[in-house]
Amino acid sequence: MKRLVAVILALGVFASACGDDTDDGEPSSTSAAAEVQASGSSSASESTADPEPEDAPAAGEPGGGEEAAVDGEAATFEVETFLGRQEVSVATDGILALDETTGLVLLALGVAPQSVTVRFNDTISLGIMADAGVAALEFDNLEQVAADAPQVMIGIDAGDDAGENAALYAEIAPFLTPVDPADTPWQEQIRFIALITGTEARGEQLIGRIEGRLAAVREQLATSELAGASVSLLSDLGDAGVVSITEPFIAPEFLAQIGLTRPAAQQTPADGGVLFVSEELVPDQVADVLIAVRSPFAPPGEPAAILDNPLLPEYDLVAEVEGIAWATPGLFSLWWVIADLEAIFVGVGDVTGVGDVDALWSELIAP
């Protein structure tokens, strides 16, 4: 995770780490929710969790869980976290989200946190949470966090980045984060939070909605003239220079999943998700399509600075997208990027602007 945070902070990009899917078919060693052992009598009363979807992981598997009322009290279960294996009970009230992405995941699951610590000044996410009545606290301000009196703290990008303060946070309330968010697929990040909040069915619904929309784009693109096109994904960050966007940001992964390719010059993985492109290499960024990513530094909607670069090669198609979605990880970025891919490559709708945030968010969290 450190490789993500270091580059994101250096670029001033708000983000929360959202892991990429692995292709080897083996579960990640840092899978979000580990074995779950409900404690209490075997004659548990009716479950307080949502019904488990048909394809949901079984209890005891990563992402699986079992929450039951035992003699009128909530059962406890165990999860693997950054601070080790912890015994917890289902959390629905008094939740402090340790980062903006976690706050949005909680809202999407129908469990509003009472507060969120501002880690990357993610203005889009903070605006959505403010509308939902979520208080914003300063990141690493232990006094402010203690005064907020949370019952539990949940985060998917607040483990080793919190450093020595993680143990101090844990003295205030249970501190629950995945073992290694950077190596945890986004689906498992959602499942981690859904497990802790007893909303596993809703979590699977959200995952299915995101995966289903991406699959639909792939199916429609397969019969279009852009099928198999190569895509150059570039941004100009001003003094920081020209960069191509790479994994672990989600856009490159989604491009591959819908059957598109990247130019050879952009296929090298880069720590932190950005590959710096020197001036003499700009002409090598040859592809059929250019997705010009607006700098997260620039005012929303301002033309992408990369388009002013005279060294750019010619492209058959050019599309501009917002860096606040394409150059940052997070739940909302997943949905935003897919919506843009649908507009660019399938011709459904328009590329999303900041004025479309409310409508896009409503689509994602619809019942």
Side-chain angles (χ1 to χ4, degrees):
M1 187 183 76
K2 291 178 181 177
R3 66 182 186 273
L4 265 175
V5 174
V7 174
I8 291 170
L9 292 180
L11 298 179
V13 180
F14 72 79
S16 52
C18 191
D20 52 303
D21 290 326
T22 54
D23 296 325
D24 56 11
E26 297 182 3
S28 166
S29 61
T30 55
S31 183
E35 298 177 1
V36 178
Q37 301 174 338
S39 57
S41 169
S42 60
S43 59
S45 59
E46 184 178 355
S47 172
T48 60
D50 292 319
E52 188 171 7
E54 181 178 343
D55 296 328
E61 296 179 350
E66 181 181 350
E67 297 85 27
V70 182
D71 296 330
E73 296 183 1
T76 61
F77 54 93
E78 294 183 339
V79 291
E80 289 291 348
T81 74
F82 172 74
L83 292 179
R85 194 172 184 84
Q86 298 190 58
E87 184 173 305
V88 299
S89 57
V90 173
T92 56
D93 298 306
I95 300 173
L96 167 64
L98 289 163
D99 52 80
E100 291 95 325
T101 287
T102 299
L104 284 193
V105 173
L106 286 165
L107 285 180
L109 292 172
V111 183
Q114 72 179 22
S115 52
V116 58
T117 56
V118 180
R119 300 200 54 234
F120 301 104
N121 196 29
D122 176 349
T123 55
I124 297 295
S125 297
L126 291 173
I128 292 172
M129 284 185 278
D131 289 343
V134 180
L137 309 180
E138 296 176 12
F139 180 64
D140 269 358
N141 187 327
L142 291 174
E143 289 186 5
Q144 197 175 61
V145 169
D148 188 59
Q151 297 179 29
V152 65
M153 306 180 196
I154 305 174
I156 54 177
D157 187 29
D160 56 349
D161 189 43
E164 60 186 23
N165 283 340
L168 298 177
Y169 274 120
E171 293 179 3
I172 300 172
F175 183 92
L176 308 177
T177 73
V179 175
D180 188 350
D183 290 333
T184 303
W186 63 266
Q187 296 95 329
E188 291 304 316
Q189 292 187 352
I190 292 175
R191 288 178 177 130
F192 179 86
I193 299 175
L195 171 64
I196 294 169
T197 56
T199 56
E200 291 168 286
R202 174 60 172 170
E204 294 304 318
Q205 181 187 44
L206 286 172
I207 292 169
R209 178 169 295 166
I210 294 168
E211 292 179 334
R213 187 170 187 177
L214 185 65
V217 173
R218 180 176 64 244
E219 182 177 348
Q220 295 175 73
L221 177 59
T223 58
S224 80
E225 60 182 15
L226 290 173
S230 59
V231 180
S232 179
L233 192 56
L234 295 174
S235 183
D236 188 328
L237 300 179
D239 291 341
V242 175
V243 300
S244 66
I245 309 301
T246 69
E247 294 186 16
F249 291 130
I250 200 65
E253 179 183 331
F254 280 179
L255 287 171
Q257 287 185 17
I258 63 175
L260 301 174
T261 63
R262 301 290 300 282
Q266 298 180 18
Q267 292 182 7
T268 303
D271 286 347
V274 291
L275 182 66
F276 289 90
V277 180
S278 59
E279 184 174 300
E280 65 271 17
L281 294 180
V282 171
D284 296 339
Q285 312 302 307
V286 177
D288 301 313
V289 179
L290 169 64
I291 296 182
V293 182
R294 296 186 179 101
S295 169
F297 298 123
E302 184 174 291
I306 187 65
L307 297 178
D308 294 329
N309 193 312
L311 300 178
L312 280 178
E314 293 290 329
Y315 296 96
D316 296 332
L317 174 65
V318 175
E320 294 183 66
V321 298
E322 295 291 348
I324 54 176
W326 283 69
T328 60
L331 172 69
F332 200 21
S333 291
L334 301 174
W335 192 246
W336 191 320
V337 168
I338 295 173
D340 283 350
L341 292 174
E342 193 174 54
I344 296 168
F345 294 101
V346 182
V348 176
D350 299 317
V351 171
T352 304
V354 292
D356 306 314
V357 165
D358 289 344
L360 192 67
W361 175 248
S362 295
E363 283 181 3
L364 175 60
I365 65 171

